[in-house]
């Protein structure tokens, strides 16, 4: 509660790379994220950063992927869930990220995730990540249930998966 | 030339995760990429892959970032270019990727990049990556020239940068 | 206390890759580590693992490096410590690791570190890492204080550093 | 041939972190490496480097592991070789590395590997890596053939493997 408020107070700083206009829609976006499904705290370490002294951006995808897998652990593990539905993996089909504020060695990144937009073969995971209440990252993943069908990897129907993990 | 044709021949397989309809627009997209600015060949190794036996997806961002930096080497290095314009880095503001086909240990990933959409403070880099002519990845990065202004990192005007690297 | 005992109980399993004889000296080694300087708990995630389903071994070095940097945070950060002594970094000169037991997605790796063997230009950091009391990894780093001297990076005298971080 | 000579000429610079005495034995070591089994050229990229502007040291293990897997490709892949001998992986038991010279963004690292010291359950892979003829890295891996025996991963007898890959 307090933290949500802090975010609003800091929002002038939050999108500091560019003019704020570009991200006005995030105000609405944040509202839809106010009940995160899962949170994961990641301490940024020296080796996560690049010669510019900030997190090397592919690592942000490692962090959100970690958050998703951390959430799956309530059912054992990613493997346990994928196997339960004869899948190889809950694999990636689409993803994206916006970087609003630099993140550095020693920062504690709080990643929040939320499920959204279940379709027949895909579902969407939304992420927001904060350092001390400042929004640093918004991201999403579109995942499917990868199954090996006739020696090819294909996205399977996910309705049984939805009933299980997001009833 | 031959390779572009091969892509079309293989396009039935190319978007095998999902129904093809989802990616019909890629047909047009590919046309706009037919003169890549730079190509980079990446041999996928065991350690790039995850327990599902396919490339761990954050690594695809490492590959496209590598391609961008490889292209910058014609002016010395990323550092040389950033320094020339009083910048800390050509940093990331936005990015995204779609995964059309699995990539595995031993695959030779051919990454093609193209610049597009220069704005006042950002430019866009488009990527396509193929294995043996099959489109496996489309991706983009929106980058800015990060400069330290009054102890904050901000995106600077990039018109001098554009004149230099994409006249 | 309980945990140390657990280690001894499990020690038959601990070096399961090879005959136990090879690691008899670890019994003594463990004694010297019974007062770790610092501990760091690392939750292994899917993306840390390779197609064999076990941690991709270079990542173990990321974990011990993280532990070392985590310990340095009591003085601000690695950068703060290095800068205080006109150094670029507390860089690596030598390192090594033995893998005693596989580590997998979901395992909680408890990394313990200890300083040892201060010399004029180098110091040694010893690591042990456990999963549920089973020794999985022993490792070491020999680090120096890298300083830029006449455009070259050289290991500087570390006695002032020792007085500061390990008096 | 020429390159070997260049190494000797540069050897004053080669071990620049410390006094040269520490590495006198490398003179002999180099002799034993004069017929590398396999070479792999790795272009260092921005994202391989850390905030000190030099390669983040765990990445050197990624590079030598890549070289080993690249060598295995003559028999299909690591998987093909491991499967042929009912193994899960040619996994790591022990490893180590010495860092003689910094490696940076844009450097072309030439990694040479050589097999040595075949024992009943392990074999050793030696590495040397150069940038423009300057020795930057020496490293080794002790690997075994990991096999799942009664639900545990154990190092198996490797004599059939030796007959196959290093007759």
């Amino acid at each position: 509660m307090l933290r949500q408020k802090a975010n609003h107070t800091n929002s002038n700083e939050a999108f500091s790379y560019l003019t704020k206009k570009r991200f006005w829609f995030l105000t609405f976006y944040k509202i839809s994220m106010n009940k995160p499904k899962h949170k994961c705290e990641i301490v940024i370490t020296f080796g996560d950063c690049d010669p510019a002294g900030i997190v090397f951006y592919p690592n942000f995808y490692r962090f959100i992927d970690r958050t998703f897998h951390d959430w799956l652990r309530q059912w054992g593990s990613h493997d346990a869930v994928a196997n339960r539905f004869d899948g190889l993996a809950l694999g990636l089909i689409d993803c994206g990220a916006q970087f609003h504020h630099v993140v550095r060695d020693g920062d504690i990144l709080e990643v929040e995730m939320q499920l959204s937009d279940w379709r027949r073969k895909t579902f969407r995971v939304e992420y927001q990540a904060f350092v001390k209440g400042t929004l640093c990252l918004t991201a999403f993943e579109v995942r499917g249930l990868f199954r090996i069908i006739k020696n090819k990897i294909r996205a399977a129907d996910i309705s049984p998966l939805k009933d299980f993990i997001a009833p």
Side-chain angles (χ1 to χ4, degrees), chain A:
Chain A
M1 200 61 170
L2 200 71
R3 199 140 82 60
Q4 285 299 329
K5 209 164 161 205
N7 294 345
H8 279 276
T9 320
N10 287 349
S11 63
N12 286 343
E13 290 197 333
F15 318 122
S16 63
Y17 293 148
L18 297 174
T19 55
K20 277 114 222 167
K21 233 182 286 175
R22 191 183 162 103
F23 293 110
W24 61 267
F25 58 88
L26 283 173
T27 311
F28 302 99
Y29 183 66
K30 270 203 255 186
I31 291 164
S32 73
M33 279 284 286
N34 58 6
K35 285 181 196 163
K37 198 93 186 165
H38 188 63
K39 292 187 189 193
C40 200
E41 200 178 280
I42 286 158
V43 181
I44 305 302
T45 189
F46 181 79
D48 294 328
C49 301
D50 64 24
I54 60 181
V55 169
F56 182 52
Y57 88 90
N59 289 332
F60 283 113
Y61 287 98
R62 291 202 300 115
F63 303 154
I64 64 172
D65 184 82
R66 170 183 284 275
T67 303
F68 179 72
H69 282 85
D70 200 56
W71 172 69
L72 289 178
R73 270 188 237 299
Q74 62 190 294
W75 300 285
S77 68
H78 167 266
D79 259 26
V81 175
N83 291 343
R84 188 183 187 103
F85 299 99
D86 301 322
L88 175 71
L90 302 181
L92 264 284
I93 285 159
D94 195 351
C95 64
Q98 291 84 44
F99 307 101
H100 309 302
H101 205 278
V102 290
V103 182
R104 297 174 187 281
D105 180 22
D107 283 347
I108 297 168
L109 188 73
E110 293 177 49
V111 185
E112 300 180 0
M113 65 159 269
Q114 178 121 328
L115 297 182
S116 74
D117 199 17
W118 286 84
R119 304 198 174 184
R120 201 168 68 86
K121 295 193 171 182
T122 64
F123 62 103
R124 194 175 161 103
V125 198
E126 306 276 357
Y127 299 92
Q128 283 186 299
F130 303 88
V131 173
K132 289 184 182 164
T134 295
L135 180 67
C136 295
L137 174 80
T138 44
F140 74 91
E141 296 171 323
V142 174
R143 290 180 180 263
L145 177 65
F146 286 8
R147 191 177 285 163
I148 299 171
I149 297 170
K150 293 182 194 160
N151 274 321
K152 295 203 172 191
I153 293 180
R154 296 212 174 254
D157 187 324
I158 56 169
S159 45
L161 176 73
K162 179 177 189 316
D163 293 346
F164 185 68
I165 66 175

